[in-house]
């Protein structure tokens, strides 16, 4: 292996290690987020509130779009990601209402 190839392999290894750590952070962060949304779902069910809140969802999408732009992340990807999470949260909230 040449010095250039060896250096590239080391850089690749470092990037992959960082990606693995970030993936773990994402998973644990989503876990924590869903703990809170589950509590919100129970609270909504106890007080007969609707599982979805379109005004909050719209506000969150706008907020996330701004954050995505600041983070140099494709805002359309961020919107799709949040929409997926919101769908899951609403499903959980609907289960609490049953």
């Amino acid at each position: 292996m040449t010095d250039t190839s060896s250096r590239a392999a080391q850089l690749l290894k470092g990037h992959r290690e960082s990606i693995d750590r970030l993936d773990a952070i994402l998973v644990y962060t989503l876990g924590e987020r869903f703990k809170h949304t589950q509590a919100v779902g129970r609270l909504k069910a106890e007080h007969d509130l609707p599982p979805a809140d379109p005004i909050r969802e719209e506000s969150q999408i706008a907020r996330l779009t701004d954050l995505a732009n600041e983070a140099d992340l494709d805002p359309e990807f961020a919107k799709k990601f949040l929409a997926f999470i919101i769908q899951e949260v609403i499903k959980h909230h609907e289960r609490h209402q049953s």
Side-chain angles (χ1 to χ4, degrees):
M1 193 180 285
T2 67
D3 286 343
T4 305
S5 300
S6 178
R7 177 72 179 136
Q10 288 176 339
L11 289 171
L12 182 61
K13 182 177 185 271
H15 286 302
R16 287 180 173 164
E17 288 170 351
S18 291
I19 290 167
D20 291 349
R21 283 190 301 274
L22 291 165
D23 286 344
I25 290 167
L26 285 170
V27 169
Y28 281 99
T29 300
L30 284 171
E32 187 66 23
R33 187 185 195 286
F34 275 93
K35 285 177 192 172
H36 288 283
T37 60
Q38 290 286 355
V40 167
R42 287 188 296 274
L43 186 62
K44 284 181 173 185
E46 289 169 13
H47 295 279
D48 200 28
L49 298 169
D53 184 345
I55 293 170
R56 165 111 172 121
E57 293 165 24
E58 189 176 311
S59 171
Q60 285 296 93
I61 288 170
R63 184 176 150 277
L64 191 69
T65 300
D66 289 342
L67 289 171
N69 284 321
E70 289 173 17
D72 199 25
L73 178 68
D74 178 5
E76 288 305 311
F77 170 77
K79 286 180 194 177
K80 289 176 187 174
F81 182 71
L82 184 61
F84 174 75
I85 290 173
I86 289 170
Q87 287 174 342
E88 287 299 307
V89 168
I90 291 171
K91 278 195 252 181
H92 294 173
H93 290 187
E94 288 171 343
R95 281 189 219 129
H96 287 296
Q97 303 258 334
S98 308

mmCIF file with all atom_site columns, all heavy atoms in Angstrom, residues 45-70:
data_model
loop_
_atom_site.group_PDB
_atom_site.id
_atom_site.type_symbol
_atom_site.label_atom_id
_atom_site.label_alt_id
_atom_site.label_comp_id
_atom_site.label_asym_id
_atom_site.label_entity_id
_atom_site.label_seq_id
_atom_site.pdbx_PDB_ins_code
_atom_site.Cartn_x
_atom_site.Cartn_y
_atom_site.Cartn_z
_atom_site.occupancy
_atom_site.B_iso_or_equiv
_atom_site.pdbx_formal_charge
_atom_site.auth_seq_id
_atom_site.auth_comp_id
_atom_site.auth_asym_id
_atom_site.auth_atom_id
_atom_site.pdbx_PDB_model_num
ATOM 1   N N   . ALA A 1 45 ? -54.428 12.345 25.796 1.00 0.00 ? 45 ALA A N   1
ATOM 2   C CA  . ALA A 1 45 ? -55.501 11.363 25.979 1.00 0.00 ? 45 ALA A CA  1
ATOM 3   C C   . ALA A 1 45 ? -56.252 11.622 27.286 1.00 0.00 ? 45 ALA A C   1
ATOM 4   O O   . ALA A 1 45 ? -57.486 11.563 27.317 1.00 0.00 ? 45 ALA A O   1
ATOM 5   C CB  . ALA A 1 45 ? -54.933 9.950  25.959 1.00 0.00 ? 45 ALA A CB  1
ATOM 6   N N   . GLU A 1 46 ? -55.524 11.913 28.349 1.00 0.00 ? 46 GLU A N   1
ATOM 7   C CA  . GLU A 1 46 ? -56.152 12.175 29.651 1.00 0.00 ? 46 GLU A CA  1
ATOM 8   C C   . GLU A 1 46 ? -57.066 13.399 29.623 1.00 0.00 ? 46 GLU A C   1
ATOM 9   O O   . GLU A 1 46 ? -58.046 13.466 30.353 1.00 0.00 ? 46 GLU A O   1
ATOM 10  C CB  . GLU A 1 46 ? -55.075 12.393 30.725 1.00 0.00 ? 46 GLU A CB  1
ATOM 11  C CG  . GLU A 1 46 ? -54.312 11.145 31.105 1.00 0.00 ? 46 GLU A CG  1
ATOM 12  C CD  . GLU A 1 46 ? -53.092 11.466 31.965 1.00 0.00 ? 46 GLU A CD  1
ATOM 13  O OE1 . GLU A 1 46 ? -52.966 12.598 32.472 1.00 0.00 ? 46 GLU A OE1 1
ATOM 14  O OE2 . GLU A 1 46 ? -52.249 10.558 32.112 1.00 0.00 ? 46 GLU A OE2 1
ATOM 15  N N   . HIS A 1 47 ? -56.728 14.361 28.757 1.00 0.00 ? 47 HIS A N   1
ATOM 16  C CA  . HIS A 1 47 ? -57.492 15.608 28.709 1.00 0.00 ? 47 HIS A CA  1
ATOM 17  C C   . HIS A 1 47 ? -58.319 15.728 27.437 1.00 0.00 ? 47 HIS A C   1
ATOM 18  O O   . HIS A 1 47 ? -58.786 16.819 27.100 1.00 0.00 ? 47 HIS A O   1
ATOM 19  C CB  . HIS A 1 47 ? -56.543 16.805 28.875 1.00 0.00 ? 47 HIS A CB  1
ATOM 20  C CG  . HIS A 1 47 ? -55.896 16.823 30.220 1.00 0.00 ? 47 HIS A CG  1
ATOM 21  N ND1 . HIS A 1 47 ? -56.527 17.306 31.347 1.00 0.00 ? 47 HIS A ND1 1
ATOM 22  C CD2 . HIS A 1 47 ? -54.675 16.376 30.627 1.00 0.00 ? 47 HIS A CD2 1
ATOM 23  C CE1 . HIS A 1 47 ? -55.731 17.170 32.380 1.00 0.00 ? 47 HIS A CE1 1
ATOM 24  N NE2 . HIS A 1 47 ? -54.604 16.606 31.981 1.00 0.00 ? 47 HIS A NE2 1
ATOM 25  N N   . ASP A 1 48 ? -58.492 14.604 26.751 1.00 0.00 ? 48 ASP A N   1
ATOM 26  C CA  . ASP A 1 48 ? -59.319 14.533 25.553 1.00 0.00 ? 48 ASP A CA  1
ATOM 27  C C   . ASP A 1 48 ? -58.925 15.584 24.512 1.00 0.00 ? 48 ASP A C   1
ATOM 28  O O   . ASP A 1 48 ? -59.777 16.250 23.919 1.00 0.00 ? 48 ASP A O   1
ATOM 29  C CB  . ASP A 1 48 ? -60.809 14.672 25.929 1.00 0.00 ? 48 ASP A CB  1
ATOM 30  C CG  . ASP A 1 48 ? -61.721 14.124 24.843 1.00 0.00 ? 48 ASP A CG  1
ATOM 31  O OD1 . ASP A 1 48 ? -61.285 13.209 24.107 1.00 0.00 ? 48 ASP A OD1 1
ATOM 32  O OD2 . ASP A 1 48 ? -62.846 14.638 24.716 1.00 0.00 ? 48 ASP A OD2 1
ATOM 33  N N   . LEU A 1 49 ? -57.621 15.723 24.309 1.00 0.00 ? 49 LEU A N   1
ATOM 34  C CA  . LEU A 1 49 ? -57.111 16.637 23.292 1.00 0.00 ? 49 LEU A CA  1
ATOM 35  C C   . LEU A 1 49 ? -56.820 15.849 22.014 1.00 0.00 ? 49 LEU A C   1
ATOM 36  O O   . LEU A 1 49 ? -56.502 14.657 22.083 1.00 0.00 ? 49 LEU A O   1
ATOM 37  C CB  . LEU A 1 49 ? -55.835 17.323 23.789 1.00 0.00 ? 49 LEU A CB  1
ATOM 38  C CG  . LEU A 1 49 ? -55.996 18.200 25.027 1.00 0.00 ? 49 LEU A CG  1
ATOM 39  C CD1 . LEU A 1 49 ? -54.628 18.589 25.570 1.00 0.00 ? 49 LEU A CD1 1
ATOM 40  C CD2 . LEU A 1 49 ? -56.822 19.425 24.698 1.00 0.00 ? 49 LEU A CD2 1
ATOM 41  N N   . PRO A 1 50 ? -56.911 16.468 20.851 1.00 0.00 ? 50 PRO A N   1
ATOM 42  C CA  . PRO A 1 50 ? -56.662 15.742 19.596 1.00 0.00 ? 50 PRO A CA  1
ATOM 43  C C   . PRO A 1 50 ? -55.210 15.270 19.496 1.00 0.00 ? 50 PRO A C   1
ATOM 44  O O   . PRO A 1 50 ? -54.303 15.956 19.986 1.00 0.00 ? 50 PRO A O   1
ATOM 45  C CB  . PRO A 1 50 ? -56.993 16.768 18.510 1.00 0.00 ? 50 PRO A CB  1
ATOM 46  C CG  . PRO A 1 50 ? -56.928 18.094 19.171 1.00 0.00 ? 50 PRO A CG  1
ATOM 47  C CD  . PRO A 1 50 ? -57.225 17.874 20.629 1.00 0.00 ? 50 PRO A CD  1
ATOM 48  N N   . PRO A 1 51 ? -54.989 14.113 18.862 1.00 0.00 ? 51 PRO A N   1
ATOM 49  C CA  . PRO A 1 51 ? -53.626 13.585 18.748 1.00 0.00 ? 51 PRO A CA  1
ATOM 50  C C   . PRO A 1 51 ? -52.715 14.450 17.878 1.00 0.00 ? 51 PRO A C   1
ATOM 51  O O   . PRO A 1 51 ? -51.514 14.489 18.091 1.00 0.00 ? 51 PRO A O   1
ATOM 52  C CB  . PRO A 1 51 ? -53.806 12.198 18.144 1.00 0.00 ? 51 PRO A CB  1
ATOM 53  C CG  . PRO A 1 51 ? -55.203 12.102 17.699 1.00 0.00 ? 51 PRO A CG  1
ATOM 54  C CD  . PRO A 1 51 ? -55.983 13.201 18.325 1.00 0.00 ? 51 PRO A CD  1
ATOM 55  N N   . ALA A 1 52 ? -53.278 15.141 16.902 1.00 0.00 ? 52 ALA A N   1
ATOM 56  C CA  . ALA A 1 52 ? -52.471 15.973 16.012 1.00 0.00 ? 52 ALA A CA  1
ATOM 57  C C   . ALA A 1 52 ? -52.684 17.445 16.347 1.00 0.00 ? 52 ALA A C   1
ATOM 58  O O   . ALA A 1 52 ? -53.756 17.841 16.807 1.00 0.00 ? 52 ALA A O   1
ATOM 59  C CB  . ALA A 1 52 ? -52.845 15.708 14.555 1.00 0.00 ? 52 ALA A CB  1
ATOM 60  N N   . ASP A 1 53 ? -51.663 18.228 16.097 1.00 0.00 ? 53 ASP A N   1
ATOM 61  C CA  . ASP A 1 53 ? -51.727 19.675 16.309 1.00 0.00 ? 53 ASP A CA  1
ATOM 62  C C   . ASP A 1 53 ? -51.113 20.349 15.081 1.00 0.00 ? 53 ASP A C   1
ATOM 63  O O   . ASP A 1 53 ? -49.917 20.657 15.055 1.00 0.00 ? 53 ASP A O   1
ATOM 64  C CB  . ASP A 1 53 ? -50.950 20.049 17.575 1.00 0.00 ? 53 ASP A CB  1
ATOM 65  C CG  . ASP A 1 53 ? -51.047 21.516 17.935 1.00 0.00 ? 53 ASP A CG  1
ATOM 66  O OD1 . ASP A 1 53 ? -51.475 22.326 17.083 1.00 0.00 ? 53 ASP A OD1 1
ATOM 67  O OD2 . ASP A 1 53 ? -50.675 21.863 19.066 1.00 0.00 ? 53 ASP A OD2 1
ATOM 68  N N   . PRO A 1 54 ? -51.934 20.556 14.034 1.00 0.00 ? 54 PRO A N   1
ATOM 69  C CA  . PRO A 1 54 ? -51.406 21.085 12.766 1.00 0.00 ? 54 PRO A CA  1
ATOM 70  C C   . PRO A 1 54 ? -50.675 22.420 12.910 1.00 0.00 ? 54 PRO A C   1
ATOM 71  O O   . PRO A 1 54 ? -49.678 22.654 12.208 1.00 0.00 ? 54 PRO A O   1
ATOM 72  C CB  . PRO A 1 54 ? -52.646 21.243 11.894 1.00 0.00 ? 54 PRO A CB  1
ATOM 73  C CG  . PRO A 1 54 ? -53.651 20.308 12.481 1.00 0.00 ? 54 PRO A CG  1
ATOM 74  C CD  . PRO A 1 54 ? -53.354 20.257 13.949 1.00 0.00 ? 54 PRO A CD  1
ATOM 75  N N   . ILE A 1 55 ? -51.114 23.274 13.810 1.00 0.00 ? 55 ILE A N   1
ATOM 76  C CA  . ILE A 1 55 ? -50.444 24.572 13.980 1.00 0.00 ? 55 ILE A CA  1
ATOM 77  C C   . ILE A 1 55 ? -49.033 24.357 14.524 1.00 0.00 ? 55 ILE A C   1
ATOM 78  O O   . ILE A 1 55 ? -48.067 24.947 14.045 1.00 0.00 ? 55 ILE A O   1
ATOM 79  C CB  . ILE A 1 55 ? -51.274 25.509 14.884 1.00 0.00 ? 55 ILE A CB  1
ATOM 80  C CG1 . ILE A 1 55 ? -52.577 25.873 14.174 1.00 0.00 ? 55 ILE A CG1 1
ATOM 81  C CG2 . ILE A 1 55 ? -50.484 26.760 15.254 1.00 0.00 ? 55 ILE A CG2 1
ATOM 82  C CD1 . ILE A 1 55 ? -53.583 26.597 15.041 1.00 0.00 ? 55 ILE A CD1 1
ATOM 83  N N   . ARG A 1 56 ? -48.898 23.488 15.523 1.00 0.00 ? 56 ARG A N   1
ATOM 84  C CA  . ARG A 1 56 ? -47.569 23.181 16.078 1.00 0.00 ? 56 ARG A CA  1
ATOM 85  C C   . ARG A 1 56 ? -46.691 22.515 15.024 1.00 0.00 ? 56 ARG A C   1
ATOM 86  O O   . ARG A 1 56 ? -45.512 22.833 14.889 1.00 0.00 ? 56 ARG A O   1
ATOM 87  C CB  . ARG A 1 56 ? -47.718 22.265 17.298 1.00 0.00 ? 56 ARG A CB  1
ATOM 88  C CG  . ARG A 1 56 ? -46.425 21.602 17.729 1.00 0.00 ? 56 ARG A CG  1
ATOM 89  C CD  . ARG A 1 56 ? -45.927 22.099 19.020 1.00 0.00 ? 56 ARG A CD  1
ATOM 90  N NE  . ARG A 1 56 ? -44.802 21.280 19.459 1.00 0.00 ? 56 ARG A NE  1
ATOM 91  C CZ  . ARG A 1 56 ? -43.600 21.770 19.690 1.00 0.00 ? 56 ARG A CZ  1
ATOM 92  N NH1 . ARG A 1 56 ? -43.374 23.050 19.574 1.00 0.00 ? 56 ARG A NH1 1
ATOM 93  N NH2 . ARG A 1 56 ? -42.625 20.981 20.092 1.00 0.00 ? 56 ARG A NH2 1
ATOM 94  N N   . GLU A 1 57 ? -47.282 21.585 14.261 1.00 0.00 ? 57 GLU A N   1
ATOM 95  C CA  . GLU A 1 57 ? -46.513 20.893 13.229 1.00 0.00 ? 57 GLU A CA  1
ATOM 96  C C   . GLU A 1 57 ? -45.969 21.885 12.202 1.00 0.00 ? 57 GLU A C   1
ATOM 97  O O   . GLU A 1 57 ? -44.791 21.819 11.818 1.00 0.00 ? 57 GLU A O   1
ATOM 98  C CB  . GLU A 1 57 ? -47.379 19.838 12.547 1.00 0.00 ? 57 GLU A CB  1
ATOM 99  C CG  . GLU A 1 57 ? -47.754 18.691 13.459 1.00 0.00 ? 57 GLU A CG  1
ATOM 100 C CD  . GLU A 1 57 ? -48.891 17.852 12.915 1.00 0.00 ? 57 GLU A CD  1
ATOM 101 O OE1 . GLU A 1 57 ? -49.112 17.842 11.685 1.00 0.00 ? 57 GLU A OE1 1
ATOM 102 O OE2 . GLU A 1 57 ? -49.576 17.205 13.725 1.00 0.00 ? 57 GLU A OE2 1
ATOM 103 N N   . GLU A 1 58 ? -46.810 22.817 11.766 1.00 0.00 ? 58 GLU A N   1
ATOM 104 C CA  . GLU A 1 58 ? -46.388 23.824 10.797 1.00 0.00 ? 58 GLU A CA  1
ATOM 105 C C   . GLU A 1 58 ? -45.255 24.683 11.369 1.00 0.00 ? 58 GLU A C   1
ATOM 106 O O   . GLU A 1 58 ? -44.272 24.967 10.688 1.00 0.00 ? 58 GLU A O   1
ATOM 107 C CB  . GLU A 1 58 ? -47.585 24.697 10.424 1.00 0.00 ? 58 GLU A CB  1
ATOM 108 C CG  . GLU A 1 58 ? -47.331 25.637 9.280  1.00 0.00 ? 58 GLU A CG  1
ATOM 109 C CD  . GLU A 1 58 ? -48.592 26.407 8.911  1.00 0.00 ? 58 GLU A CD  1
ATOM 110 O OE1 . GLU A 1 58 ? -49.654 25.782 8.745  1.00 0.00 ? 58 GLU A OE1 1
ATOM 111 O OE2 . GLU A 1 58 ? -48.487 27.639 8.802  1.00 0.00 ? 58 GLU A OE2 1
ATOM 112 N N   . SER A 1 59 ? -45.399 25.062 12.620 1.00 0.00 ? 59 SER A N   1
ATOM 113 C CA  . SER A 1 59 ? -44.376 25.864 13.285 1.00 0.00 ? 59 SER A CA  1
ATOM 114 C C   . SER A 1 59 ? -43.055 25.098 13.385 1.00 0.00 ? 59 SER A C   1
ATOM 115 O O   . SER A 1 59 ? -41.978 25.653 13.158 1.00 0.00 ? 59 SER A O   1
ATOM 116 C CB  . SER A 1 59 ? -44.875 26.259 14.674 1.00 0.00 ? 59 SER A CB  1
ATOM 117 O OG  . SER A 1 59 ? -43.855 26.841 15.422 1.00 0.00 ? 59 SER A OG  1
ATOM 118 N N   . GLN A 1 60 ? -43.143 23.825 13.734 1.00 0.00 ? 60 GLN A N   1
ATOM 119 C CA  . GLN A 1 60 ? -41.944 22.998 13.865 1.00 0.00 ? 60 GLN A CA  1
ATOM 120 C C   . GLN A 1 60 ? -41.254 22.813 12.519 1.00 0.00 ? 60 GLN A C   1
ATOM 121 O O   . GLN A 1 60 ? -40.024 22.833 12.442 1.00 0.00 ? 60 GLN A O   1
ATOM 122 C CB  . GLN A 1 60 ? -42.287 21.641 14.477 1.00 0.00 ? 60 GLN A CB  1
ATOM 123 C CG  . GLN A 1 60 ? -42.565 21.691 15.962 1.00 0.00 ? 60 GLN A CG  1
ATOM 124 C CD  . GLN A 1 60 ? -41.340 22.124 16.738 1.00 0.00 ? 60 GLN A CD  1
ATOM 125 O OE1 . GLN A 1 60 ? -41.152 23.303 17.014 1.00 0.00 ? 60 GLN A OE1 1
ATOM 126 N NE2 . GLN A 1 60 ? -40.496 21.183 17.080 1.00 0.00 ? 60 GLN A NE2 1
ATOM 127 N N   . ILE A 1 61 ? -42.040 22.638 11.467 1.00 0.00 ? 61 ILE A N   1
ATOM 128 C CA  . ILE A 1 61 ? -41.446 22.465 10.139 1.00 0.00 ? 61 ILE A CA  1
ATOM 129 C C   . ILE A 1 61 ? -40.709 23.741 9.737  1.00 0.00 ? 61 ILE A C   1
ATOM 130 O O   . ILE A 1 61 ? -39.588 23.692 9.232  1.00 0.00 ? 61 ILE A O   1
ATOM 131 C CB  . ILE A 1 61 ? -42.517 22.054 9.109  1.00 0.00 ? 61 ILE A CB  1
ATOM 132 C CG1 . ILE A 1 61 ? -42.945 20.604 9.379  1.00 0.00 ? 61 ILE A CG1 1
ATOM 133 C CG2 . ILE A 1 61 ? -41.997 22.210 7.683  1.00 0.00 ? 61 ILE A CG2 1
ATOM 134 C CD1 . ILE A 1 61 ? -44.154 20.145 8.614  1.00 0.00 ? 61 ILE A CD1 1
ATOM 135 N N   . ALA A 1 62 ? -41.307 24.897 9.990  1.00 0.00 ? 62 ALA A N   1
ATOM 136 C CA  . ALA A 1 62 ? -40.641 26.169 9.677  1.00 0.00 ? 62 ALA A CA  1
ATOM 137 C C   . ALA A 1 62 ? -39.364 26.318 10.500 1.00 0.00 ? 62 ALA A C   1
ATOM 138 O O   . ALA A 1 62 ? -38.310 26.722 9.977  1.00 0.00 ? 62 ALA A O   1
ATOM 139 C CB  . ALA A 1 62 ? -41.593 27.332 9.935  1.00 0.00 ? 62 ALA A CB  1
ATOM 140 N N   . ARG A 1 63 ? -39.436 25.974 11.773 1.00 0.00 ? 63 ARG A N   1
ATOM 141 C CA  . ARG A 1 63 ? -38.271 26.066 12.660 1.00 0.00 ? 63 ARG A CA  1
ATOM 142 C C   . ARG A 1 63 ? -37.158 25.139 12.192 1.00 0.00 ? 63 ARG A C   1
ATOM 143 O O   . ARG A 1 63 ? -35.983 25.520 12.134 1.00 0.00 ? 63 ARG A O   1
ATOM 144 C CB  . ARG A 1 63 ? -38.698 25.713 14.093 1.00 0.00 ? 63 ARG A CB  1
ATOM 145 C CG  . ARG A 1 63 ? -37.617 25.854 15.134 1.00 0.00 ? 63 ARG A CG  1
ATOM 146 C CD  . ARG A 1 63 ? -38.212 25.571 16.539 1.00 0.00 ? 63 ARG A CD  1
ATOM 147 N NE  . ARG A 1 63 ? -37.207 25.019 17.381 1.00 0.00 ? 63 ARG A NE  1
ATOM 148 C CZ  . ARG A 1 63 ? -36.830 23.741 17.436 1.00 0.00 ? 63 ARG A CZ  1
ATOM 149 N NH1 . ARG A 1 63 ? -37.422 22.837 16.706 1.00 0.00 ? 63 ARG A NH1 1
ATOM 150 N NH2 . ARG A 1 63 ? -35.871 23.335 18.238 1.00 0.00 ? 63 ARG A NH2 1
ATOM 151 N N   . LEU A 1 64 ? -37.527 23.906 11.853 1.00 0.00 ? 64 LEU A N   1
ATOM 152 C CA  . LEU A 1 64 ? -36.533 22.938 11.403 1.00 0.00 ? 64 LEU A CA  1
ATOM 153 C C   . LEU A 1 64 ? -35.927 23.349 10.063 1.00 0.00 ? 64 LEU A C   1
ATOM 154 O O   . LEU A 1 64 ? -34.734 23.137 9.830  1.00 0.00 ? 64 LEU A O   1
ATOM 155 C CB  . LEU A 1 64 ? -37.156 21.543 11.296 1.00 0.00 ? 64 LEU A CB  1
ATOM 156 C CG  . LEU A 1 64 ? -36.146 20.422 11.100 1.00 0.00 ? 64 LEU A CG  1
ATOM 157 C CD1 . LEU A 1 64 ? -35.330 20.235 12.373 1.00 0.00 ? 64 LEU A CD1 1
ATOM 158 C CD2 . LEU A 1 64 ? -36.836 19.139 10.729 1.00 0.00 ? 64 LEU A CD2 1
ATOM 159 N N   . THR A 1 65 ? -36.728 23.953 9.197  1.00 0.00 ? 65 THR A N   1
ATOM 160 C CA  . THR A 1 65 ? -36.205 24.439 7.923  1.00 0.00 ? 65 THR A CA  1
ATOM 161 C C   . THR A 1 65 ? -35.137 25.492 8.160  1.00 0.00 ? 65 THR A C   1
ATOM 162 O O   . THR A 1 65 ? -34.074 25.468 7.523  1.00 0.00 ? 65 THR A O   1
ATOM 163 C CB  . THR A 1 65 ? -37.349 24.997 7.055  1.00 0.00 ? 65 THR A CB  1
ATOM 164 O OG1 . THR A 1 65 ? -38.300 23.952 6.804  1.00 0.00 ? 65 THR A OG1 1
ATOM 165 C CG2 . THR A 1 65 ? -36.839 25.540 5.739  1.00 0.00 ? 65 THR A CG2 1
ATOM 166 N N   . ASP A 1 66 ? -35.403 26.413 9.079  1.00 0.00 ? 66 ASP A N   1
ATOM 167 C CA  . ASP A 1 66 ? -34.402 27.428 9.425  1.00 0.00 ? 66 ASP A CA  1
ATOM 168 C C   . ASP A 1 66 ? -33.138 26.787 9.991  1.00 0.00 ? 66 ASP A C   1
ATOM 169 O O   . ASP A 1 66 ? -32.017 27.158 9.612  1.00 0.00 ? 66 ASP A O   1
ATOM 170 C CB  . ASP A 1 66 ? -34.967 28.431 10.440 1.00 0.00 ? 66 ASP A CB  1
ATOM 171 C CG  . ASP A 1 66 ? -36.018 29.344 9.838  1.00 0.00 ? 66 ASP A CG  1
ATOM 172 O OD1 . ASP A 1 66 ? -36.086 29.466 8.594  1.00 0.00 ? 66 ASP A OD1 1
ATOM 173 O OD2 . ASP A 1 66 ? -36.787 29.943 10.630 1.00 0.00 ? 66 ASP A OD2 1
ATOM 174 N N   . LEU A 1 67 ? -33.312 25.827 10.896 1.00 0.00 ? 67 LEU A N   1
ATOM 175 C CA  . LEU A 1 67 ? -32.149 25.140 11.469 1.00 0.00 ? 67 LEU A CA  1
ATOM 176 C C   . LEU A 1 67 ? -31.356 24.404 10.395 1.00 0.00 ? 67 LEU A C   1
ATOM 177 O O   . LEU A 1 67 ? -30.120 24.413 10.405 1.00 0.00 ? 67 LEU A O   1
ATOM 178 C CB  . LEU A 1 67 ? -32.597 24.156 12.555 1.00 0.00 ? 67 LEU A CB  1
ATOM 179 C CG  . LEU A 1 67 ? -33.101 24.756 13.854 1.00 0.00 ? 67 LEU A CG  1
ATOM 180 C CD1 . LEU A 1 67 ? -33.703 23.671 14.745 1.00 0.00 ? 67 LEU A CD1 1
ATOM 181 C CD2 . LEU A 1 67 ? -31.991 25.492 14.583 1.00 0.00 ? 67 LEU A CD2 1
ATOM 182 N N   . ALA A 1 68 ? -32.067 23.763 9.471  1.00 0.00 ? 68 ALA A N   1
ATOM 183 C CA  . ALA A 1 68 ? -31.393 23.032 8.396  1.00 0.00 ? 68 ALA A CA  1
ATOM 184 C C   . ALA A 1 68 ? -30.565 23.988 7.546  1.00 0.00 ? 68 ALA A C   1
ATOM 185 O O   . ALA A 1 68 ? -29.416 23.683 7.203  1.00 0.00 ? 68 ALA A O   1
ATOM 186 C CB  . ALA A 1 68 ? -32.423 22.297 7.536  1.00 0.00 ? 68 ALA A CB  1
ATOM 187 N N   . ASN A 1 69 ? -31.137 25.127 7.228  1.00 0.00 ? 69 ASN A N   1
ATOM 188 C CA  . ASN A 1 69 ? -30.382 26.117 6.449  1.00 0.00 ? 69 ASN A CA  1
ATOM 189 C C   . ASN A 1 69 ? -29.140 26.568 7.200  1.00 0.00 ? 69 ASN A C   1
ATOM 190 O O   . ASN A 1 69 ? -28.058 26.671 6.610  1.00 0.00 ? 69 ASN A O   1
ATOM 191 C CB  . ASN A 1 69 ? -31.267 27.319 6.097  1.00 0.00 ? 69 ASN A CB  1
ATOM 192 C CG  . ASN A 1 69 ? -32.239 27.001 4.976  1.00 0.00 ? 69 ASN A CG  1
ATOM 193 O OD1 . ASN A 1 69 ? -31.899 26.317 4.023  1.00 0.00 ? 69 ASN A OD1 1
ATOM 194 N ND2 . ASN A 1 69 ? -33.449 27.502 5.101  1.00 0.00 ? 69 ASN A ND2 1
ATOM 195 N N   . GLU A 1 70 ? -29.269 26.802 8.502  1.00 0.00 ? 70 GLU A N   1
ATOM 196 C CA  . GLU A 1 70 ? -28.117 27.212 9.316  1.00 0.00 ? 70 GLU A CA  1
ATOM 197 C C   . GLU A 1 70 ? -27.052 26.120 9.360  1.00 0.00 ? 70 GLU A C   1
ATOM 198 O O   . GLU A 1 70 ? -25.857 26.406 9.417  1.00 0.00 ? 70 GLU A O   1
ATOM 199 C CB  . GLU A 1 70 ? -28.557 27.537 10.740 1.00 0.00 ? 70 GLU A CB  1
ATOM 200 C CG  . GLU A 1 70 ? -29.362 28.803 10.875 1.00 0.00 ? 70 GLU A CG  1
ATOM 201 C CD  . GLU A 1 70 ? -29.910 29.000 12.284 1.00 0.00 ? 70 GLU A CD  1
ATOM 202 O OE1 . GLU A 1 70 ? -29.410 28.344 13.234 1.00 0.00 ? 70 GLU A OE1 1
ATOM 203 O OE2 . GLU A 1 70 ? -30.835 29.812 12.439 1.00 0.00 ? 70 GLU A OE2 1
#
